[in-house]
Amino acid sequence: MKFLSISILLILVFLIRSQAQQPPFSPANIILPQLAYSACAWGDFDHDGDLDLALSGAEGNSPVTKIFRNDNGTFTDLQANLLPLHFGSVEWGDYDNDNDLDLLVTGIESLGNPHTIIFKNNNGIFTDSGINLPGVMDGQASWGDLDNDGNLDILLAGSSMAGIFRNNGSGQFININAPLPAIETTMCCWNDYNNDGQSDVMVCGNTGGGMVTKLYKNNHGVFSEVTVAPEPFVGLYGGQAKWADLDNDGDQDLVIAGMDLYVDGYFLIYQNDGYDHFTKFDNNSANLLNPSIDLGDFDGDGLADIVLMGTISGCGGAAVTRLLKNTGNVTFADVSTLLPGYKLGGVTWGDYNNDGYTDLLFTGLDAYETPKTELFLNNLGNIGVFTQNTPPTPPQGLEVTMEADKAILHWSSASDAQTPKNALTYNICMGTMPDSHDVLSPLASRFTGNRAVTAPGNASSDTSWVISGIPTGTYYFSVQTIDNGFMPGSFSSPLMFNFTPMGIALNEASTFGISPNPCQNRLLIHVGDPADFDSKILIVNNFGQTYYQGCNPGAIDVSAWPKGIYLVQKSGPKGTTSVKLIRN
């Protein structure tokens, strides 16, 4: 009996050691195009509940842009006939609010010409939208809502430019002329870093005279550079920047990797302490050249972990992959993964087989300079090492308040068994019917809660959100919770509300107008006729002094203007029109 007990104990010890030594990932042996100088993005474009895949990059000497449908773990080339591009980016989003994922792609084609293309999804058929945007190479384009009108706008940087392009809801994107630097070899992203319910932007890259990393605060559609304390962000290029709540305190922290002026690699974490204060953590052991990163909870403990790939400096350009486990308090530990090294490509988390454990996809050159696209399955959950991630609860206490031309949506915090409450993000669905999404698309199924992308919710970690620019009518909104493993919960029951905007001077869709009027802080410019969207705007006071002159900005910060009467003049193809503005 004693011998049997000892034998059982030895077997248990062996099993525990075997699990502890088991690599967390194993090859999925999925056949995909082998790409370098590449980008990748998961997205459920066909609404069947599993993640499909978009890829762009170089297959040998030939650029490739492809979409692969996930059919229960088997990938099928959609044969979408997309323009082949490499040296760029891919990102899913729903720019026309039809709840079909559209694809935003940047890069250069085989002749070296740069492009930025929106491929519109019409029931699984992808076509070039024909929307004209500046083409960029070695840059990035990203979706975000700059003015909280429910329409996805675009942050675009690369090829010595950077701009924010407003989606007017009619298939046109208009440069708002935000004060962003002209940069190349860039990275850019949206994020509400200060929890004020508005999407701020970050851009990083090479200005030609040095490297910059700059954060711009969104004040009702007007962007201004943030003076970061106690020291400016390190200027970097040729890498990636990502936001996530690493310390679960309710605000977004920054992870950034790239290179400086001297082509030295950096891997930096900036802890968001609030009030524009960021504490820098420098992980020298993770400094790589041309790095790519992604953030996600691979072990189901509710903390955002980091995967990092790139080139080791001074080692003959060897490719490396590292997995950094978040152990809390903005500290990270290296995990032994036995994953191959990759460089000059992309990496992304995603639960491709819906088993509750986050898998990893890589593209790029391996240690032998061979292009690769490889998927690795997260195995440790299946043998009991990790806790399976479970869905968070839906938010409760939905309310709506009105202010001028805005509806302010409110809800209570939710909970989750793995992710702490402060680190949860929220995803809003809003439409003109109880189950519609024609005002704000959640990139998720209103009925099942299944998320179409692997990303935080569209409201970040806020528990209120502003919707502006909507006409008089009846609306419905509901909210779902997203955890740090990007697992969604079910949507809350929709709340109906009636909305009547206040203070709009001229509200006919075909006319020029301003709102609110009288105005104190933010002035909205309404140009109803598409032919006038690029019109010139001039604002002068009673004494003829100019307070604004330029292209149609969409929104202007007037909070610092003296009280009084102003004249707002529009000049465009349809002629010149003026309205009176009262600043009180």
Side-chain angles (χ1 to χ4, degrees), residues 34 102 129 155 199 237 267 336 363 377 388 396 482 581:
Q34 306 299 291
D102 310 300
S129 66
L155 172 63
S199 296
Y237 78 107
F267 175 80
S336 177
T363 70
L377 300 180
Q388 185 175 22
Q396 302 297 323
I482 312 293
L581 164 67

Side-chain angles (χ1 to χ4, degrees), residues 255-337:
V255 179
I256 184 169
M259 299 174 293
D260 68 4
L261 179 65
Y262 305 101
V263 199
D264 291 327
Y266 282 81
F267 175 80
L268 302 171
I269 295 173
Y270 286 93
Q271 185 179 25
N272 185 352
D273 302 319
Y275 304 101
D276 300 343
H277 188 285
F278 289 83
T279 300
K280 182 176 71 172
F281 295 85
D282 192 345
N283 188 336
N284 294 322
S285 64
N287 289 346
L288 300 177
L289 306 182
N290 297 299
S292 293
I293 59 176
D294 201 15
L295 280 63
D297 181 11
F298 85 99
D299 53 359
D301 64 355
L303 296 168
D305 309 299
I306 304 170
V307 62
L308 171 73
M309 56 174 274
T311 304
I312 299 175
S313 178
C315 292
V320 66
T321 297
R322 298 186 61 185
L323 177 60
L324 303 178
K325 173 180 167 55
N326 188 342
T327 58
N329 299 316
V330 201
T331 58
F332 291 82
D334 268 298
V335 176
S336 177
T337 64

Side-chain angles (χ1 to χ4, degrees), residues 23-105:
F25 298 94
S26 64
N29 298 317
I30 299 294
I31 298 176
L32 291 164
Q34 306 299 291
L35 304 178
Y37 313 105
S38 45
C40 50
W42 294 108
D44 182 10
F45 77 85
D46 55 359
H47 306 289
D48 66 350
D50 51 26
L51 291 174
D52 310 300
L53 181 61
L55 293 169
S56 74
E59 190 173 27
N61 294 321
S62 302
V64 167
T65 304
K66 287 184 176 291
I67 297 172
F68 289 86
R69 187 179 64 243
N70 183 352
D71 297 318
N72 296 317
T74 300
F75 286 101
T76 302
D77 188 346
L78 199 62
Q79 301 292 332
N81 195 30
L82 309 182
L83 180 67
L85 299 173
H86 62 316
F87 283 106
S89 64
V90 293
E91 187 171 321
W92 296 99
D94 182 12
Y95 82 96
D96 51 3
N97 284 336
D98 64 354
N99 212 37
D100 282 336
L101 283 184
D102 310 300
L103 189 63
L104 178 61
V105 184

